[in-house]
Amino acid sequence: MMSFFSEVYAVAWSDLRFMRHNILQIMVSSLMLPILYLLAFGYGLKAGDVDLFGDGSVMVPYLTFVIPGIIALTSLSSSFNSTATRMNVQRLYYRSFDEMMMCPLSNTAIIIGKTILGMVRALISVTLMFCIGCALEPDFLTWMNPGLFVLSVALCCFLFGLLGETAALMVRSHSGMSLFTSLVITPMTFLCGTFFSVQALPAAFQWILYVFPLTEASLCIRGSALMGVSDAYAFPFWALGVIVAYIVVLFSIDMYLIKNRKV
Amino acid sequence: MDMQDDCIIDVSGLVKRFGEKSAIDHVDMKVKRGEMYAFLGPNGAGKTTTVRVLSTLTGFDEGTVIIDGHDIVKEPREAKAAIGVIQQHISLDKDLTVWENMMAHAMYQQMPKAERIKKIDQLSEYIGLGDYYNFKVDKLSGGWKKRVAIVCALVHSPKLLFLDEPTVGLDIQARRGLWDLLRKLNNDGMTIFLTTHYIEEAESLCTRVSFIEKGKIIADGTPEDLAHKIGYFTVESFGKDHNTQYAYFQTKAEADEYAKQFDDTMTVTVRRTNLEDAFVEMTGNRIGDNGFMLQKATNPKEAR
Ligand SMILES: Nc1ncnc2c1ncn2[C@@H]1O[C@H](COP(=O)(O)OP(=O)(O)OP(=O)(O)O)[C@@H](O)[C@H]1O
Ligand SMILES: [Mg+2]
């Protein structure tokens, strides 16, 4: 067991050194997008109150509604992008991924180790975003359930890191990566309950959105952040279950891809 | 020690296909512990593919590969622990510094911390990289990047070292330095498997050489054995038609006798047969310094 963790650390170490070299750049680039969304949707749009359950029982101001969505989105973009970009470059351009594959490391350790950079980056971005959120809406601090919030955020960051690996292991070129982003990541960003409540949509469309894990991520993060708004508000444990299921599925896919890796 | 254990590389019936084409075509090969073994062949012969398969980077279609007593499919970890690889193309992490690249390797190999630092310092000093520790790898010239790759491959003192055309792109001093290093490592018991298209490299370094062409091993033995298979002496004659003719003889007397028949218009040399002669004779090809076949030029389409 000890040796498993030391393998994971060995895999993650070079990525963390890379992050240290570029820390400022990384911070700026990973906060830019969520802040823009916050300005555009939170302030620019001037949307009215949001009906949380779709039955008029609990209404919250749009800003309060959208901040947890943006936090979920930050966990996706930060974790996915840093994992996928770094792994893609190491595999296709530097070829240093090959060097690692020639060393006596287990595939499990490689897959988990490679998500660490994305997780750390995403956790930093989410923390900063959360601080901005609390400055704008201090009530989050009284409403939230810290345990469930941290658990949800951590699982989401891990999930999206695994998704980044899937993308990096699947594509054969840089343009393949852009295609993956525009087909999977961008639609998720806008549609998956980040900026509007999925419950407000027609049932058929809802089911499609539940297939994308950012929908469950938004539900969990918003659920844990707005826990105290109403007594009727129950945390969606089923969505957390779906996230765990996705983790298992993506982990298995990554294991398969790394074993049958071409190039 | 039984026969099996005597061999650090034991390959039988190895086939690797890319689509229709076999890059490795039914290769059987045994390399004994402590040998310095060269794989000699022209561009596209399958040298890199062989190194990548033996170092577990690429899968293969048929056959078995045993490295240090471990089947690389069934026990990849144990096999990987025994090897160090210097790839043909630089494969360092260009976002990291020289030292970080070395350190990352030592960590992948699960070396204890104190030992990592000591070994990196020791190797870097030997190779002259100490002053470059904090350079981003990207800022080094090609030859210096290669030196970093050499340290990375050696950091865990592997039992078996693969080098894929290690001296391409190195200056003369560095090449000599690397040769000395390889001799020293080999002397200390490391088995060395190198691919090259420089015949003099194989000849001066290696205890055993095999010729590979189009994915097949066509001859194998000590450099002397291979040379002597075609005759100890070579008569090289160069005439007005700008074509060099070669003839091979087992004794000096026979060679001298043959050389007498040429008149003054020809430049005639009698010399000992070398590895290059053997390669030319056995394959009907001549490797130029850059690896191109000079005689009997192959159709590029066919070569792919
Ligand atoms: N990824 C690949 N996909 C398809 N064909 C490949 C691939 N890699 C190598 N080949 C083919 O396999 C053959 C052997 O290539 P290899 O790189 O092993 O040659 P080599 O002996 O190392 O040549 P060089 O001296 O140029 O390095 C070549 O014909 C090449 O076109
Ligand atoms: Mg090659």
Side-chain angles (χ1 to χ4, degrees), chain B residues 133-289:
Chain B
Y133 270 177
N134 292 320
F135 272 54
K136 279 268 176 70
V137 165
D138 219 12
K139 302 223 161 72
L140 297 179
S141 73
W144 284 94
K145 281 183 196 144
K146 196 93 179 192
R147 284 171 232 212
V148 179
I150 293 169
V151 174
C152 289
L154 288 173
V155 74
H156 60 296
S157 321
K159 292 182 195 164
L160 168 62
L161 180 65
F162 289 103
L163 302 102
D164 195 1
E165 308 203 6
T167 53
V168 173
L170 290 184
D171 60 33
I172 295 164
Q173 286 90 333
R175 175 184 299 198
R176 293 269 161 87
L178 179 59
W179 286 3
D180 286 343
L181 175 64
L182 293 181
R183 287 195 189 99
K184 181 174 172 294
L185 293 168
N186 185 241
N187 214 29
D188 297 343
M190 193 180 288
T191 311
I192 290 172
F193 181 106
L194 71 89
T195 80
T196 183
H197 51 237
Y198 293 125
I199 288 178
E200 72 276 14
E201 186 160 281
E203 194 160 34
S204 75
L205 272 181
C206 293
T207 45
R208 203 145 66 85
V209 176
S210 59
F211 295 155
I212 174 167
E213 204 194 8
K214 299 202 178 109
K216 284 196 168 76
I217 293 183
I218 54 175
D220 139 83
T222 66
E224 294 79 41
D225 281 350
L226 288 171
H228 296 166
K229 260 183 201 157
I230 59 165
Y232 284 83
F233 292 91
T234 301
V235 180
E236 203 179 308
S237 52
F238 180 75
K240 284 205 192 86
D241 58 353
H242 299 290
N243 259 334
T244 312
Q245 303 290 332
Y246 298 88
Y248 306 101
F249 301 93
Q250 290 301 343
T251 65
K252 180 101 171 33
E254 280 175 285
D256 285 338
E257 187 61 35
Y258 175 80
K260 271 187 201 145
Q261 61 158 322
F262 295 104
D263 58 25
D264 289 353
T265 61
M266 309 279 282
T267 314
V268 182
T269 323
V270 179
R271 56 172 174 77
R272 283 192 153 271
T273 304
N274 59 30
L275 196 59
E276 183 167 345
D277 299 316
F279 189 79
V280 173
E281 193 59 20
M282 288 181 194
T283 63
N285 292 316
R286 171 162 290 253
I287 310 186
D289 257 0

Side-chain angles (χ1 to χ4, degrees), chain B residues 54-177:
Chain B
L54 297 192
S55 56
T56 73
L57 272 184
T58 308
F60 50 94
D61 299 294
E62 285 173 37
T64 52
V65 179
I66 309 230
I67 300 279
D68 193 30
H70 304 283
D71 187 312
I72 63 167
V73 178
K74 293 185 195 124
E75 301 173 304
R77 259 181 102 96
E78 287 78 1
K80 283 175 184 179
I83 63 173
V85 185
I86 298 167
Q87 299 204 71
Q88 180 172 9
H89 302 289
I90 302 289
S91 47
L92 300 166
D93 194 323
K94 299 192 183 64
D95 284 324
L96 301 181
T97 66
V98 168
W99 185 81
E100 284 167 342
N101 265 283
M102 299 171 179
M103 197 62 178
H105 259 265
M107 291 178 74
Y108 294 156
Q109 297 290 350
Q110 305 288 299
M111 291 168 70
K113 188 166 185 183
E115 202 182 311
R116 295 200 288 256
I117 292 172
K118 201 174 117 211
K119 198 67 200 292
I120 289 173
D121 284 345
Q122 201 183 329
L123 283 166
S124 303
E125 190 177 345
Y126 187 90
I127 289 191
L129 268 168
D131 297 339
Y132 294 94
Y133 270 177
N134 292 320
F135 272 54
K136 279 268 176 70
V137 165
D138 219 12
K139 302 223 161 72
L140 297 179
S141 73
W144 284 94
K145 281 183 196 144
K146 196 93 179 192
R147 284 171 232 212
V148 179
I150 293 169
V151 174
C152 289
L154 288 173
V155 74
H156 60 296
S157 321
K159 292 182 195 164
L160 168 62
L161 180 65
F162 289 103
L163 302 102
D164 195 1
E165 308 203 6
T167 53
V168 173
L170 290 184
D171 60 33
I172 295 164
Q173 286 90 333
R175 175 184 299 198
R176 293 269 161 87

Side-chain angles (χ1 to χ4, degrees), chain A residues 42 57 61 74 78 88 104 116 121 131 150 168 181 183 200 217 221 230 235 247 251 255:
Chain A
S57 58
T74 309
S78 209
N88 192 35
I116 303 274
R121 259 192 74 165
C131 293
V150 171
T181 306
L183 285 183
I221 291 175
S230 146
F235 180 79
I247 288 176
F251 184 84
M255 280 299 260

Side-chain angles (χ1 to χ4, degrees), chain A residues 37-76:
Chain A
Y37 284 137
L38 188 65
L39 289 177
F41 290 94
Y43 290 100
L45 205 61
K46 289 253 180 301
D49 287 0
V50 180
D51 176 2
L52 266 188
F53 300 127
D55 58 6
S57 58
V58 183
M59 304 292 282
V60 291
Y62 185 66
L63 191 64
T64 309
F65 176 84
V66 86
I67 286 171
I70 291 178
I71 289 176
L73 185 152
T74 309
S75 77
L76 167 72

Side-chain angles (χ1 to χ4, degrees), chain A residues 17-170:
Chain A
R17 293 296 283 209
F18 158 76
M19 185 171 137
R20 236 174 73 169
H21 288 304
N22 303 291
I23 187 78
L24 215 69
Q25 216 174 314
I26 286 174
M27 299 295 18
V28 172
S29 67
S30 55
L31 272 183
M32 201 58 203
L33 201 64
I35 289 178
L36 284 179
Y37 284 137
L38 188 65
L39 289 177
F41 290 94
Y43 290 100
L45 205 61
K46 289 253 180 301
D49 287 0
V50 180
D51 176 2
L52 266 188
F53 300 127
D55 58 6
S57 58
V58 183
M59 304 292 282
V60 291
Y62 185 66
L63 191 64
T64 309
F65 176 84
V66 86
I67 286 171
I70 291 178
I71 289 176
L73 185 152
T74 309
S75 77
L76 167 72
S77 67
S78 209
S79 186
F80 175 86
N81 284 334
S82 30
T83 309
T85 311
R86 172 112 174 114
M87 207 158 146
N88 192 35
V89 167
Q90 284 185 323
R91 198 170 77 93
L92 296 177
Y93 301 97
Y94 300 164
R95 306 224 163 224
S96 56
F97 196 73
D98 277 356
E99 295 284 320
M100 190 177 67
M101 293 303 295
M102 284 185 297
C103 296
L105 298 163
S106 70
N107 287 342
T108 316
I110 291 176
I111 289 173
I112 294 185
K114 277 287 165 198
T115 60
I116 303 274
L117 170 70
M119 295 237 285
V120 171
R121 259 192 74 165
L123 287 175
I124 295 174
S125 316
V126 164
T127 308
L128 292 174
M129 204 51 225
F130 179 71
C131 293
I132 296 174
C134 288
L136 297 173
E137 176 60 277
D139 282 344
F140 277 130
L141 289 172
T142 52
W143 292 333
M144 76 184 295
N145 179 320
L148 285 174
F149 183 78
V150 171
L151 179 69
S152 306
V153 167
L155 286 176
C156 292
C157 293
F158 183 51
L159 168 64
F160 297 133
L162 289 174
L163 186 65
E165 284 186 42
T166 312
L169 286 168
M170 256 170 37

